[in-house]
């Protein structure tokens, strides 16, 4: 996130001697992305962050692909995803590259996690708790996007066992849209959100502990289990631009117009491979002849995934919270029969949804087919 942030204590000059009292050095770590070109932070550890003492057998997480070349519109019932205790084991990859559904039940787990491949966007549909990271903690609740850059060591603690998460993993960094930022990165006046809406980590946890600490590291679709000799949350201070943050979908200020506005006005995040949009409660178009429902549109070069969160979704019939639709690239889609007519004269919508448009086709996994209704693709026939 392009806002400078700092927690804990740091030396006046980078790369200089920094000690706890007289004798114990703190160990500096550059935590960066894209070689030395991307966002980075400088961290100061109580112990060397390199003390691996055991490598356990890795687990293969490669999703089982059911449909590699898909041309069928799908509706998945996300809430039918089987809940599981552990917040990692609960993750079910449904559309690759790479959307994940999770319904974790356990309030906490006894290990730490790091995704070495991907930035993660965890959308909290149900549940609340604390995202604990080695760069500080962030409380989360319904409607939060938790943005976790690759490499952040973290764990999630939930207040209770009824949790529903929609997770997107990205091999490329996820940023706020460039057109909303000036040349220094500041969010501009026409952006639907600003820096005040970005919740940065607080309450840095510093554990000066030696022992055996498991970090599960996801890399190349393998979940490696590394045992470290010191607690991974042992940072006394850090500063920089590379850190996790939260943004609530309820803080997104919708852009509206006299006639129907295209999906990019809802854009919230971007990468080289996909965009994320937030559809939020808003007033409808106010031209006297306006049609608030979207027009049919051709998904010629993007697969479109919509995760329905809440409210009445005007453009479709039979859509409820936790449903996920996939409209594949190559063919047009649009409102269901009756939805366009129904929308005329309506003043506002209370719909809440997250959209992910990918620039390469998504493959459908076996997990997705378990929650697929199988008939959505012909739901436009009257
Ligand atoms: Fe669409």
């Amino acid at each position: 996130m392009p806002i400078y942030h700092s927690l804990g204590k740091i030396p006046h000059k980078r790369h200089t001697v920094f000690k706890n009292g007289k004798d114990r050095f703190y160990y500096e770590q550059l935590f960066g992305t894209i070689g030395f070109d991307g966002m980075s932070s400088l961290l100061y550890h109580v112990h060397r962050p390199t003390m691996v003492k055991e490598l356990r057998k890795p687990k293969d997480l490669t999703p089982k692909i059911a449909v590699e070349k898909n041309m069928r519109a799908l509706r998945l019932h996300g809430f039918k995803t089987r809940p599981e205790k552990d917040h990692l084991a609960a993750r079910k990859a449904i559309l690759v590259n790479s959307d994940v559904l999770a319904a974790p039940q356990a309030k906490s787990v006894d290990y730490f996690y790091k995704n070495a491949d991907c930035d993660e966007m965890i959308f909290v549909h149900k549940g609340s708790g604390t995202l604990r990271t080695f760069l500080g903690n962030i409380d989360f609740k319904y409607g939060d996007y938790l943005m976790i850059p690759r490499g952040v060591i973290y764990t999630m603690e939930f207040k209770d066992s009824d949790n529903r998460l929609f997770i997107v993993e990205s091999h490329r960094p996820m940023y706020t849209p460039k057109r909303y930022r000036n040349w220094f990165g500041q969010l501009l006046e026409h952006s639907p959100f600003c820096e005040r809406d970005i919740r940065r980590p607080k309450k840095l946890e510093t554990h000066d502990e030696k022992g055996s600490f498991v970090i599960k590291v996801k890399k190349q679709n393998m979940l490696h289990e590394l045992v470290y000799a010191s607690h991974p949350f042992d940072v006394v201070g850090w500063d920089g631009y590379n850190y996790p943050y939260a943004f609530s979908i309820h803080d997104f200020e919708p852009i509206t117009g006299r006639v129907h506005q295209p999906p990019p006005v809802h854009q919230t995040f971007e990468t080289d491979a996909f965009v994320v949009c937030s559809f939020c409660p808003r007033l409808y178009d106010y031209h006297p002849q306006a049609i608030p429902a979207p027009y049919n549109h051709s998904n010629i070069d993007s697969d479109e995934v919509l995760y329905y969160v809440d409210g009445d979704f005007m453009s479709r019939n039979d859509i409820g919270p936790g449903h996920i639709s996939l409209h594949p690239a190559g063919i047009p889609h649009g409102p269901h029969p009756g939805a366009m007519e129904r929308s005329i004269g309506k003043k506002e919508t209370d719909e809440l949804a997250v959209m992910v448009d990918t620039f390469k086709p998504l493959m459908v996994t076996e997990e997705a087919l378990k929650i697929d209704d199988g008939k959505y693709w012909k739901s436009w026939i009257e």
Side-chain angles (χ1 to χ4, degrees):
M1 186 64 210
I3 317 174
Y4 175 82
H5 191 43
S6 178
L7 281 179
K9 50 182 183 177
I10 53 174
H12 176 63
K13 279 276 170 197
R14 56 189 174 178
H15 322 318
T16 56
V17 169
F18 184 32
K19 282 183 170 179
N20 175 14
K22 279 191 195 146
D23 47 355
R24 280 181 68 182
F25 283 97
Y26 290 127
Y27 299 92
E28 190 178 48
Q29 178 195 358
L30 176 75
F31 175 58
T33 56
I34 323 183
F36 287 83
D37 273 355
M39 300 293 181
S40 70
S41 294
L42 280 172
L43 285 53
Y44 298 88
H45 294 271
V46 174
H47 299 285
R48 285 190 306 277
T50 47
M51 297 194 293
V52 178
K53 61 192 260 192
E54 190 185 337
L55 277 169
R56 294 182 180 161
K57 194 171 182 294
K59 189 178 162 194
D60 191 354
L61 297 180
T62 309
K64 293 195 172 64
I65 304 301
V67 185
E68 198 175 327
K69 296 176 181 176
N70 179 55
M71 187 49 114
R72 183 168 67 91
L74 301 178
R75 176 174 48 198
L76 310 175
H77 292 261
F79 281 5
K80 287 189 180 167
T81 304
R82 191 163 31 89
E84 290 202 32
K85 285 222 156 15
D86 179 311
H87 82 87
L88 270 195
R91 293 183 176 206
K92 311 288 180 209
I94 48 165
L95 301 166
V96 184
N97 57 352
S98 135
D99 295 336
V100 176
L101 286 174
Q105 291 179 311
K107 290 182 185 172
S108 62
V109 291
D110 59 0
Y111 61 83
F112 302 90
Y113 175 59
K114 165 161 63 171
N115 192 331
D117 283 333
C118 292
D119 283 21
E120 293 187 353
M121 179 198 94
I122 301 180
F123 178 77
V124 182
H125 190 170
K126 270 188 169 189
S128 60
T130 304
L131 175 73
R132 292 175 57 209
T133 85
F134 73 157
L135 298 175
N137 297 342
I138 302 172
D139 291 336
F140 64 81
K141 59 181 186 303
Y142 164 63
D144 280 343
Y145 290 104
L146 299 172
M147 308 302 290
I148 308 174
R150 71 207 57 205
V152 169
I153 301 170
Y154 75 88
T155 187
M156 296 183 82
E157 287 188 358
F158 298 91
K159 288 213 171 104
D160 59 43
S161 57
D162 185 17
N163 304 296
R164 293 280 170 179
L165 308 174
F166 174 59
I167 304 171
V168 176
E169 296 183 30
S170 172
H171 286 272
R172 300 287 297 159
M174 296 183 73
Y175 299 134
T176 51
K178 191 154 189 280
R179 69 177 185 283
Y180 290 137
R181 286 183 270 120
N182 71 12
W183 56 95
F184 290 113
Q186 183 179 8
L187 289 162
L188 293 163
E189 281 294 310
H190 69 293
S191 169
F193 50 91
C194 76
E195 283 80 0
R196 284 186 203 181
D197 302 315
I198 306 292
R199 283 150 43 214
R200 290 173 272 178
K202 294 178 183 168
K203 284 185 276 184
L204 185 64
E205 287 187 41
T206 309
H207 300 266
D208 180 1
E209 276 177 58
K210 282 191 166 176
S212 294
F213 301 88
V214 174
I215 305 182
K216 296 188 180 183
V217 181
K218 187 178 176 196
K219 186 180 168 192
Q220 296 174 299
N221 270 328
M222 299 297 284
L223 192 63
H224 299 272
E225 204 168 307
L226 279 69
V227 182
Y228 276 81
S230 59
H231 197 295
F233 294 176
D234 75 337
V235 175
V236 294
W238 65 270
D239 74 335
Y241 287 71
N242 193 26
Y243 55 85
Y245 65 92
F247 169 70
S248 172
I249 195 168
H250 306 301
D251 282 332
F252 186 93
E253 293 302 328
I255 295 169
T256 58
R258 246 164 71 88
V259 294
H260 191 83
Q261 298 294 297
V265 301
H266 307 282
Q267 195 184 342
T268 315
F269 304 109
E270 70 185 8
T271 77
D272 296 348
F274 63 88
V275 296
V276 176
C277 297
S278 303
F279 287 83
C280 296
R282 62 193 181 279
L283 295 178
Y284 273 143
D285 325 318
Y286 47 90
H287 185 287
Q289 295 293 311
I291 299 175
Y295 30 77
N296 297 297
H297 46 285
S298 287
N299 272 31
I300 285 303
D301 44 21
S302 312
D303 271 17
E304 179 195 284
V305 178
L306 256 175
Y307 181 85
Y308 300 90
V309 182
D310 256 321
D312 185 19
F313 225 80
M314 156 270 291
S315 59
R316 325 215 177 269
N317 310 329
D318 285 344
I319 284 287
H323 288 190
I324 299 164
S325 61
L326 168 66
H327 301 129
I331 52 174
H333 67 276
H336 279 150
M340 184 265 280
E341 296 82 348
R342 214 165 50 224
S343 76
I344 296 169
K346 290 262 170 68
K347 296 288 177 232
E348 60 188 346
T349 174
D350 62 352
E351 69 188 17
L352 193 65
V354 176
M355 186 171 82
V356 182
D357 270 15
T358 67
F359 309 141
K360 281 189 181 162
L362 290 159
M363 294 182 283
V364 181
T365 68
E366 290 180 6
E367 287 292 339
L369 291 190
K370 288 181 193 169
I371 53 170
D372 171 30
D373 76 0
K375 57 187 184 188
Y376 181 71
W377 60 276
K378 47 183 180 181
S379 61
W380 285 269
I381 294 177
E382 301 199 47

